[in-house]
Amino acid sequence: MLVAIAVVTGLSWWDEQREADSALRDLETEQSILAASLAGSLRAHLTASAQDVRPEDLFERDEGLVRPDELMVFVVPPGDPMLHGMGGRTVSSAPLREALDRGASTVRLSRPEAAAIGLPARTSMAGLARVDAGERGRWGVVAVASAARERDREKRAMGRLVLGVVLAAGLVLAFGGVALRKQRKELELARELAVAEVQRDRDEELQRAGRVATMGTFAMGIAHEVATPLGVIVGRAEQLLGRVRDDERAARGAQTILEQADRIQHIVRRFLDMARGGPPSLQRADPTAVVRAATDAVEHRFAKAKVTLSADVPPSMPAIQCDRDLLEQAIVNLLLNACEACGPGGRVEVTARSDTEQVAVVVADDGVGISAENARRATEPFFTTKHDANGYVGTGLGLAIATEIVKSHRGDLTIAPGVGRGTRACIEIPIAHGGDDVLPS
């Protein structure tokens, strides 16, 4: 709206200036013609008279021409620095004398210069002409008119400007009102669609809320119980780091403890945020780097269990939007589950592939395998089939947490029996469209 009013105002102002300039040009032409006409009369008078001519004698027949408030006429005898007007009045004007001397036909006078010769303090236009009277020398004629009529034109132009602005503002407001009504209808329609979408998603949200509530309660309990011993570990590791700075290996081990403790604290906080329904902190990431970091984090567990871990991951893949720590933890959970399902001498393979829509990370083991029925329930909170000789029972949260992490990334986690034996777990995450999809290796 403001832009439209500014455009209309600018156009009106431009039109006003154009009218004012046109009026001044018209006045300039009129004064030039008047001065030339008076010069012709002066030449005839000087030629016809045998006696000496006084400047005041030249105005006897032109008394009606001079109007002191609008128009004044002067003659300049040869060698006289003054301008002679009606009634024996003489004035001095440097701009007019200079214009006569250089042969100009017109000259514009400023307000102070116009006031100095007796005209109103308005911009004035002077027409100038020179008369060669032979033996009587070269005379000059000056006709100076005030731009009073131009001032009236400016007033009319200002009136048009104000009227134009008012009309433009009225039109803009009218069209703005129509646009606002249309936008209000669109917003109402969008709100209705949003309400319908909320209603469609309500059942799914209620089901998810039940799972999240269970996991949230458990996660908060875990966080509370872990905080105290983790603080003790950090404190002792810091003390140890201060004492073994001269022992590079021990110092590196203490620093690793601190880094992993900080990682645990960060992951616990992210789990709590997710359990409370908060969105993951998504950033553009290279899935190859995420998978490699996950495999590096569990290598020692596989070595201890005497299970072989192999990775088949391309050097470069399409980028994804993810919370790197959470997605890495989900892959770690799948790898640890696969490791525990294998006995010594077992094998776990992690592969990654991509297409135009998504990136898939597959963890396959050759362990005891899983039934189709248990595969369907594997991602439910607290469901577990882990039992060892010492009576240890799994928590049933590893795959449930991994499932929630993947869902928060708009992805899917599927668990299925492997081909022949073992178990196959697959994470599918949409690729990040826009920009360079493939990150450099």
Side-chain angles (χ1 to χ4, degrees), residues 32-48 58 61-62 73 75 128-133 139-142:
S32 178
I33 294 172
L34 176 59
S37 176
L38 291 174
S41 298
L42 175 60
R43 182 182 295 105
H45 188 83
L46 291 172
T47 303
L58 302 174
R61 293 179 299 171
D62 297 321
V73 178
V75 295
L128 304 100
R130 283 147 299 283
V131 177
D132 187 356
W139 292 64
V141 177
V142 179

Side-chain angles (χ1 to χ4, degrees), residues 204-227:
E204 181 180 348
E205 289 294 329
L206 288 176
Q207 293 176 1
R208 185 175 182 275
R211 295 195 305 269
V212 170
T214 302
M215 291 182 61
T217 302
F218 188 80
M220 285 186 283
I222 291 294
H224 177 74
E225 296 299 329
V226 167

Side-chain angles (χ1 to χ4, degrees), residues 87-337:
R89 181 170 178 266
T90 60
V91 299
S92 176
S93 175
L96 292 176
R97 286 294 315 189
E98 180 183 352
L100 276 173
D101 292 341
R102 70 171 185 267
S105 61
T106 59
V107 65
R108 184 178 299 185
L109 299 181
S110 65
R111 293 185 178 189
E113 292 169 346
I117 63 175
L119 286 174
R122 297 284 182 182
T123 299
S124 300
M125 188 67 68
L128 304 100
R130 283 147 299 283
V131 177
D132 187 356
E135 296 180 355
R136 296 182 184 272
R138 291 180 62 85
W139 292 64
V141 177
V142 179
V144 187
S146 175
R149 291 176 298 171
E150 285 63 38
R151 179 186 59 190
D152 295 339
R153 290 187 183 183
E154 290 180 5
K155 289 182 178 179
R156 290 193 296 271
M158 183 59 68
R160 290 195 299 271
L161 173 62
V162 174
L163 179 61
V165 171
V166 171
L167 290 176
L171 289 174
V172 170
L173 291 174
F175 283 113
V178 173
L180 287 175
R181 286 196 296 272
K182 182 179 179 181
Q183 185 180 24
R184 185 166 55 247
K185 291 181 180 179
E186 292 176 351
L187 290 175
E188 290 175 355
L189 178 60
R191 183 176 57 190
E192 292 175 359
L193 293 175
V195 170
E197 184 177 355
V198 169
Q199 291 175 345
R200 286 194 302 268
D201 294 341
R202 182 172 297 172
D203 291 340
E204 181 180 348
E205 289 294 329
L206 288 176
Q207 293 176 1
R208 185 175 182 275
R211 295 195 305 269
V212 170
T214 302
M215 291 182 61
T217 302
F218 188 80
M220 285 186 283
I222 291 294
H224 177 74
E225 296 299 329
V226 167
T228 300
L230 193 59
V232 173
I233 292 172
V234 171
R236 297 300 186 190
E238 290 175 346
Q239 291 177 0
L240 180 60
L241 183 61
R243 295 177 181 177
V244 297
R245 291 193 179 276
D246 296 333
D247 186 340
E248 182 179 352
R249 182 177 180 183
R252 189 166 57 250
Q255 185 62 42
T256 301
I257 293 173
L258 289 173
E259 292 173 356
Q260 293 303 314
D262 182 69
R263 174 180 169 80
I264 292 172
Q265 290 176 334
H266 177 74
I267 291 175
V268 169
R269 285 195 299 269
R270 296 301 299 125
F271 281 162
L272 287 175
D273 290 342
M274 189 177 64
R276 295 188 183 105
S281 179
L282 301 181
Q283 294 182 346
R284 193 176 181 86
D286 180 4
T288 299
V290 175
V291 175
R292 288 174 179 170
T295 57
D296 291 344
V298 298
E299 277 183 346
H300 66 288
R301 292 284 295 272
F302 276 76
K304 183 178 179 180
K306 298 180 181 180
V307 175
T308 301
L309 174 61
S310 62
D312 179 13
V313 182
S316 62
M317 299 182 68
I320 58 174
Q321 292 284 350
C322 70
D323 185 318
R324 179 163 177 165
D325 288 335
L326 288 181
L327 185 58
E328 182 181 323
Q329 187 61 42
I331 298 173
V332 166
N333 286 356
L334 297 184
L335 291 171
L336 292 179
N337 273 0

Side-chain angles (χ1 to χ4, degrees), residues 19-29 108 123 125 147 150:
E19 287 289 334
D21 291 342
S22 175
L24 287 177
R25 286 194 298 271
D26 291 345
L27 180 61
E28 181 180 15
T29 302
R108 184 178 299 185
T123 299
M125 188 67 68
E150 285 63 38

